[in-house]
Amino acid sequence: MGFVKTHDIGDITASLVGSEITVGGWIEDLRKMGKMTFITLRDVSGISQIIVKGDLNESLGELNRQSVISIRGLVQETKARDFAFEVKALEIDILAKAIHPLPVDPIGRIESNIDTRLNHRALDMRNQKTASIFKIRHHVLQSLRSILTEKKFIEITTPKIIGSASEGGANLFSLEYFGKTAYLAQSPQLYKEQMTIGLERVFEISNFYRAEKSHTGRHLSEFTSVDIEAAFMDYNDVMNILEELIIHTYKDISENCITEQQVIGHTVNIPKSPFEKVTYSQCVEELNEAGEKIEFGDDLLDSHLRLLGKKHEGFFFLTDWPMKLKPFYIREKDENPELSRSFDLQYGYLELSSGGTRLHNPEILKTRLAEQDLDPLQFADHLQAFDWGMPPHSGWGLGLDRLLTTLVGIDNVREVVLYPRDPDRLKP
Ligand code: AMO
């Protein structure tokens, strides 16, 4: 019979009663009842009940849960409560046996801790909760691409192996590159800015790398970033795009991933628009009122963000940071050069995105690099683009993995990443 499917299980409807079909999947459950065997067969799209009777039942070899089989059979009505139809098997092919004991229970009857699940991720993907998270991740990617394309952003792919730091700072992974030292890109920052010269509005969805020794539920060494950069826009314009994107994505998932939400046990609530905007200075005031000792210019610590997150629940923009806390490419405010045209998007305490208006004057950019102890010579390839007619531009980077945790209501980014990388996890 082979393994050609005529149908995915999820596509079988009552209209097929009386028809012969071939389905394939893995055995989720198996019950032998005298002269009959009941199999619940799952594939990525759904689950169905298979009845095996008569000679076929007699000749049925060793079958066990999670083995992969294909079945030719007849769709028929059923008395079973949990199913709309069943399939009477005419022929069964055992395609691959599962060797027991299995390291995790994909049905989730026996719960495994996250490390055990991540060590056996492929099998964990048969757990419907895990599969639902990754189906949602797929929808989110589709949603983001469709709205950015609608807004006339062009998708680009920038190099991940680079010759010098894109963000400055220390958290770079280095590697040997034909006798030279290369680095893994921390972000597409410099390339995306350069692309505004000719493409005006660009976006990228790719993995980036940070050598941060953080052991938290929100830091990974390899994370997926959604980045945009747009010419002729300022930070308010790109904040609006980010807000629209978040609302659109939430709406899309809320309406189109109903089964996944049920399986995960979390309902996606569409956030209210407009998102609140709180300035950094306001936050400093609020923190001092709450008894924290913090001055203008101090960075906001995790404990500060947690306090602010309690006061401003859900999504809010934290804007107008001091220049000295922002990277070299961020532009100052004309009316107060100590402040920057920048923002973070917060979800409670969790930072989801940061962005701002960029400097596009090469002389000021060089001064800023020097002020931050970065060598302008290291940035020569980037700086040359600013001599070719660099339009004013703005953009942001959004952590996709963090965004997903807000959508599925699970705190740990490792749950929404296939094979997460962190200081302790390099395999599988
Ligand atoms: P930033 O460094 O703030 O900005 O990164 C942008 C967003 O990426 C996510 N993120 C991470 N997620 C998981 N693990 C990590 N280690 C990690 N690091 C960052 C966060 C963060 O808000 N170039 C600028 C963006 C810009 O201005 O366009 C940048 O990289 O959600």
Side-chain angles (χ1 to χ4, degrees):
M1 175 171 63
F3 45 80
V4 177
K5 290 185 183 197
T6 58
H7 293 80
D8 278 333
I9 291 168
D11 295 336
I12 302 174
T13 57
S15 67
L16 280 169
V17 167
S19 310
E20 201 178 291
I21 55 158
T22 304
V23 285
W26 51 95
I27 298 171
E28 189 164 286
D29 209 355
L30 183 79
R31 275 175 302 139
K32 286 190 191 282
M33 311 260 278
K35 291 196 156 81
M36 284 217 285
T37 302
F38 293 90
I39 297 172
T40 41
L41 187 73
R42 191 179 277 286
D43 71 6
V44 67
S45 66
I47 188 161
S48 73
Q49 169 155 274
I50 314 287
I51 313 285
V52 192
K53 287 185 188 167
D55 290 349
L56 190 58
N57 192 45
E58 302 292 302
S59 65
L60 205 58
E62 231 345 75
L63 267 189
N64 62 8
R65 291 183 178 85
Q66 299 302 325
S67 290
V68 170
I69 59 175
S70 70
I71 288 169
R72 185 171 62 81
L74 216 55
V75 181
Q76 59 187 29
E77 274 156 13
T78 182
K79 292 194 194 83
R81 255 186 306 134
D82 299 341
F83 298 95
F85 59 86
E86 61 190 25
V87 178
K88 183 180 167 220
L90 301 172
E91 199 181 341
I92 296 187
D93 251 9
I94 303 171
L95 299 172
K97 281 196 169 150
I99 297 169
H100 288 240
L102 293 167
V104 293
D105 170 23
I107 313 299
R109 276 185 205 135
I110 305 163
E111 276 210 24
S112 299
N113 68 34
I114 177 147
D115 279 316
T116 310
R117 289 196 291 108
L118 291 175
N119 289 340
H120 309 94
R121 196 52 145 166
L123 186 56
D124 183 40
M125 212 48 70
R126 285 189 181 168
N127 180 318
Q128 290 312 290
K129 200 168 162 182
T130 308
S132 295
I133 291 173
F134 287 90
K135 287 177 186 175
I136 289 182
R137 190 174 166 115
H138 160 76
H139 272 278
V140 168
L141 284 165
Q142 247 192 339
S143 202
L144 295 171
R145 287 203 161 91
S146 95
I147 187 153
L148 286 169
T149 305
E150 218 171 83
K151 291 189 173 298
K152 303 204 175 84
F153 280 78
I154 293 171
E155 182 162 6
I156 57 170
T157 308
T158 61
K160 304 296 166 279
I161 304 177
I162 56 173
S164 60
S166 34
E167 294 280 334
N171 52 10
L172 275 171
F173 284 110
S174 58
L175 61 121
E176 205 269 339
Y177 188 77
F178 305 118
K180 298 192 194 95
T181 301
Y183 305 95
L184 292 180
Q186 300 150 298
S187 84
Q189 186 64 35
L190 309 186
Y191 295 108
K192 68 174 180 171
E193 284 194 50
Q194 290 173 30
M195 287 308 106
T196 63
I197 279 197
L199 297 176
E200 284 198 32
R201 288 177 292 273
V202 294
F203 77 100
E204 175 162 14
I205 304 179
S206 282
N207 282 9
F208 290 94
Y209 303 89
R210 307 249 171 129
E212 284 170 310
K213 273 224 167 88
S214 302
H215 297 267
T216 74
R218 58 185 193 282
H219 288 96
L220 293 171
S221 316
E222 177 176 44
F223 70 102
T224 305
S225 184
V226 182
D227 275 89
I228 74 158
E229 203 61 35
F232 309 108
M233 287 195 192
D234 81 355
Y235 73 127
N236 288 302
D237 300 319
V238 294
M239 264 191 276
N240 288 340
I241 290 178
L242 181 53
E243 180 168 329
E244 251 186 80
L245 203 74
I246 300 273
I247 304 247
H248 177 274
T249 305
Y250 260 68
K251 205 159 177 278
D252 192 359
I253 301 307
S254 152
E255 287 166 7
N256 298 311
C257 295
I258 296 187
T259 312
E260 288 77 9
Q261 291 173 69
Q262 280 163 356
V263 172
I264 295 170
H266 177 78
T267 308
V268 172
N269 293 314
I270 301 158
K272 282 202 183 64
S273 189
F275 294 168
E276 191 185 2
K277 282 188 180 138
V278 194
T279 64
Y280 166 89
S281 302
Q282 233 173 298
C283 288
V284 169
E285 252 176 58
E286 286 176 10
L287 288 168
N288 277 305
E289 275 162 25
E292 298 290 310
K293 296 230 166 348
I294 167 170
E295 286 176 20
F296 179 90
D298 292 345
D299 207 353
L300 302 183
L301 306 173
D302 189 51
S303 54
H304 297 143
L305 291 171
R306 284 186 192 265
L307 276 170
L308 293 168
K310 282 215 181 91
K311 188 147 193 232
H312 309 274
E313 279 180 0
F315 292 98
F316 70 97
F317 285 110
L318 211 166
T319 70
D320 300 19
W321 290 73
M323 275 300 274
K324 71 174 228 203
L325 291 180
K326 282 290 154 182
F328 66 88
Y329 46 79
I330 290 286
R331 189 167 163 187
E332 76 286 354
K333 294 188 90 167
D334 289 340
E335 64 277 23
N336 182 354
E338 267 191 45
L339 293 180
S340 64
R341 305 182 197 209
S342 70
F343 63 88
D344 282 3
L345 176 65
Q346 296 288 135
Y347 181 80
Y349 79 92
L350 181 67
E351 178 202 312
L352 290 180
S353 170
S354 53
T357 308
R358 322 302 190 182
L359 283 169
H360 69 286
N361 175 317
E363 293 317 313
I364 304 178
L365 200 50
K366 278 180 214 155
T367 313
R368 281 282 288 161
L369 279 167
E371 277 169 13
Q372 298 206 354
D373 288 331
L374 294 165
D375 179 4
L377 280 178
Q378 287 283 324
F379 292 84
D381 289 339
H382 178 55
L383 289 170
Q384 63 177 355
F386 288 72
D387 291 336
W388 301 331
M390 176 63 83
H393 56 279
S394 300
W396 44 252
L398 164 71
L400 178 78
D401 316 303
R402 291 188 185 177
L403 176 67
L404 264 149
T405 63
T406 72
L407 275 159
V408 301
I410 300 176
D411 264 349
N412 192 343
V413 274
R414 289 162 190 77
E415 292 279 2
V416 302
V417 173
L418 277 187
Y419 291 98
R421 296 287 177 253
D422 63 31
D424 298 323
R425 186 167 275 285
L426 185 55
K427 291 198 304 180

